[in-house]
Amino acid sequence: MAEFEGRRAELILKSKTGKSNAERQLPETDEEFQERLAKKYSEPEMFHRETLYISRDSFETLQADLWELTRAFLDARRRGAFYSNTSFCFHYGRPCPYFPLCRSNGIQILSRTYM
């Protein structure tokens, strides 16, 4: 309530008329959100079904790739060793925020950035 009154007072100061038409917006309850969500998802326009056709060769390639990835993931999980996604270390033209942590080889780095 105090936050709203503060924002309203600021708007009045900026206003040429000395008045504000600011209204307090209360967040919706969980029940209201669930009701709004159920209503939205009951609209037929929310969904689209499309049949995709892929060749047998493409399907077999996809199937083989998924099998290899699954085997690699299960092997890594069994060994407790997971792969780093090093292709994204400098993806945005600068080091990822976690780059020093990844490269520390288990040595704890204590700095304001990671605390």
Side-chain angles (χ1 to χ4, degrees), residues 57-68:
D57 291 341
S58 295
F59 178 78
E60 288 172 355
T61 301
L62 175 64
Q63 189 176 31
D65 289 347
L66 285 173
W67 179 245
E68 288 299 319

Side-chain angles (χ1 to χ4, degrees), residues 1-5 7 22-30 32-33 36:
M1 183 70 172
E3 181 183 329
F4 168 72
E5 291 299 333
R7 282 188 299 119
E23 295 180 10
R24 182 172 180 207
Q25 294 181 347
L26 298 173
E28 63 187 344
T29 64
D30 288 343
E32 291 169 334
F33 172 72
R36 183 172 57 84

